[in-house]
Amino acid sequence: MDLRAPDPPCRGTPVVTRFPGSVGISGLTVYDGKAADGLCGGTPHMHLVCSEAYVVVDGTGSVQTLTGSGFADTPLHPGDVVWFTPGTIHRLVNDGGLRLLVLMQNSGLPEAGDAVFTFPPPVLADPHAYRTAAALTGDRAAAARRRRDLALEGFTALREGGLREFHLAAHRLKSELLDDWRARWRDGPLAAAEETGRQLERLQAGDLSHLGHGAVSRLERPDQQLFGMCGLLHPYPVPHPPARPPRDPSGSPHLRPPKELS
């Protein structure tokens, strides 16, 4: 068993590694415009396979959620950390100056369209109508408000029932993307977990070679604010994204925007 420390790596171009655990990260300033119900905030939506976490940086508000267990309204204050699993319909409410750091599971997969808006059933049943309602065309601020209010209409109805039907509609809308999602999961989160397993095996064998390849990565805060689902978004780029672009339901290659933008 060789317990000698490894030789230091050669100096060269810095390597940008994935975020730990292959998560995604974004800064979010939650919308402060009033919706149809008089509350300020974002667009109700659900993720099919990705958990999401909020780290509250500033301001106050809440996250409204809807699951099989019912409706809940969780307060948000600076320093709070709130997370939820796939299948949780969620809507951010801004009571004043709400800013968050958003962490997304399975980085690369949320960016490939792992979100479904809570539009009314007729829109969910028509893929073309859904894509049209979800798109931010023309005046993007106005389009984001229209999208939010339409999703709020469906969200309000879902609080009275129909969650199972919404899940079925969400699956129909995203079913053609599942092969791409599996490839992204395999090349990202699964690969990260498997690398940890290999490191443990090497350590158990007395092989310290990976310790000689330690690296520091840095991403500057994005300057551009984008109109997202829940607010103005600063999405940090995903290091080493999968090479294959996802495909939209029409079968055409389409590089999708980050989760909060689609």
Side-chain angles (χ1 to χ4, degrees), residues 112 131 176-177 180 184 244-256:
R131 289 194 296 271
E176 294 188 25
L177 298 177
D180 176 71
R184 289 172 178 268
R244 296 190 308 162
R247 293 179 176 270
D248 65 20
S250 69
S252 302
H254 177 59
L255 287 171
R256 294 179 182 272

Side-chain angles (χ1 to χ4, degrees), residues 1 21 36 59 73 85 88-89 99 109 116 119 122 130 170 177 179 184 193 211 213 228 238 241 244 259:
M1 183 178 292
D73 193 0
T85 57
T88 304
I89 297 173
R99 294 193 300 116
L109 214 155
V116 179
F119 294 145
Y130 179 89
L177 298 177
D179 286 343
R184 289 172 178 268
L211 300 180
H213 299 284
V238 179
R244 296 190 308 162
K259 182 271 294 188

Side-chain angles (χ1 to χ4, degrees), residues 131-147:
R131 289 194 296 271
T132 300
L136 297 181
T137 56
D139 184 331
R140 296 178 68 81
R145 290 192 295 271
R146 287 194 300 270
R147 182 173 70 178

